[in-house]
Amino acid sequence: MGKRITVGEKLPFFQYDTPYSAANSFRALLQDQSPLVLVFFSNFGHPVTRTFVSRYAHSRYRLTHGGFAMVVRSDPARLASSVGPRTLPYPLLCDADGVLYDLLDIPVRSGFWRTCSLEAWQILKKARRRGYNAPAGAPQQMPLTLILDKDGTVLFCHYGTSLTDVPADCGAMQSLLDELDLLPEDGDDTEEAGEAAAPRRRGHAAEPEDGDGYDDGEAAPDRLYGRDGDAVQEYGSPDLSQTRLMGLLDDPYDEDE
């Protein structure tokens, strides 16, 4: 087990896998997208993770002066048939073995009152109506939010105290960068040019209009099934090979549907 990282420390450089590429350079990602907001979640099939995958995908255009990547505790091979290089407007780092989670001592907790916020409870309640059935008392992976400089130095660190204790969307990430004064010094002078160039940078997406950038058509239903004995790893994962792009990006637990 590692130890909790703090502001001013450096996250080691490493290689990471995505569902569509292997042995990617984290150093290169930082150089390309710093300051980088890096958010750690549970496995990709977890209802809370899927909810925030959708929120971040649809609000990615609001993060105009920084980069964003998500880490999930999932096997990239299990996601490969449905998550391609253009499926999400941000990198999806897969750490099925939990190497980074252990290194950073990101906690795993059990018990409703130690893991759930009101928002998490609402998401899980809706998921159960859709067929999700995690074993009672199953351990839950807590989240972590980091903001990193291009050399891996931690500029901001927050260990989540509930499943949803993370930035609400990419607009909240941009506000956090603004409040912490973590934007480049010439950000004000180049704001207009930066916003114009943002969609062309890796991991950036222009604001969607009338569904642009996503497949048309009715989404296939997302159903999540828990299995007895499963814990933090890939429990309750949907059959992603049966989930079309709209279904992948839509929040299957949206209470407004």
Side-chain angles (χ1 to χ4, degrees):
M1 181 65 70
K3 69 179 185 68
R4 291 198 172 195
I5 198 166
T6 59
V7 171
E9 296 181 336
K10 286 189 177 182
L11 188 65
F13 294 130
F14 55 88
Q15 291 186 325
Y16 64 90
D17 295 338
T18 73
Y20 42 84
S21 60
N24 299 279
S25 169
F26 187 64
R27 182 197 295 266
L29 179 63
L30 287 173
Q31 292 291 325
D32 185 42
Q33 297 201 33
S34 63
L36 178 73
V37 181
L38 189 66
V39 182
F40 292 75
F41 278 98
S42 184
N43 70 72
F44 190 86
H46 192 285
V48 172
T49 304
R50 286 294 299 275
T51 296
F52 281 89
V53 164
S54 172
R55 290 183 189 177
Y56 293 154
H58 288 293
S59 63
R60 180 61 184 87
Y61 68 94
R62 298 178 64 187
L63 183 60
T64 57
H65 290 94
F68 167 62
M70 180 185 289
V71 186
V72 292
R73 199 159 180 170
S74 298
D75 182 351
R78 296 191 63 173
L79 310 183
S81 63
S82 294
V83 182
R86 298 182 63 84
T87 302
L88 297 172
Y90 50 80
L92 185 70
L93 286 59
C94 295
D95 182 13
D97 295 329
V99 175
L100 290 173
Y101 294 79
D102 290 342
L103 175 68
L104 300 173
D105 195 19
I106 307 175
V108 174
R109 295 176 180 166
S110 299
F112 178 83
W113 298 112
R114 300 184 68 220
T115 60
C116 274
S117 61
L118 175 60
E119 181 182 23
W121 176 79
Q122 291 172 332
I123 293 170
L124 293 172
K125 180 181 178 182
K126 183 68 176 291
R128 282 192 289 270
R129 292 205 297 267
R130 296 291 189 89
Y132 177 77
N133 184 28
Q140 301 283 337
Q141 177 67 64
M142 293 292 100
L144 168 65
T145 302
L146 299 175
I147 299 179
L148 304 169
D149 202 349
K150 63 181 179 180
D151 63 355
T153 299
V154 178
L155 305 175
F156 172 85
C157 175
H158 179 69
Y159 283 81
T161 57
S162 74
L163 294 172
T164 57
D165 190 8
V166 293
D169 54 29
C170 289
M173 297 179 193
Q174 186 65 50
S175 297
L176 182 60
L177 291 173
D178 291 334
E179 292 171 5
L180 297 175
D181 196 22
L182 296 180
L183 301 179
E185 293 183 0
D186 59 350
D188 292 337
D189 297 333
T190 61
E191 181 176 356
E192 183 175 348
E195 290 182 353
R200 295 191 295 270
R201 293 177 58 196
R202 187 174 66 179
H204 285 259
E207 179 174 358
E209 296 180 1
D210 299 326
D212 289 346
Y214 305 106
D215 286 350
D216 293 329
E218 183 178 356
D222 289 310
R223 300 194 65 189
L224 307 181
Y225 299 94
R227 298 188 299 275
D228 290 341
D230 285 340
V232 175
Q233 307 289 339
E234 285 296 340
Y235 66 85
S237 296
D239 183 357
L240 295 176
S241 65
Q242 302 300 316
T243 305
R244 292 192 294 172
L245 183 57
M246 273 300 279
L248 183 68
L249 294 184
D250 280 350
D251 181 354
Y253 313 111
D254 187 356
E255 292 287 353
D256 294 330
E257 68 170 20

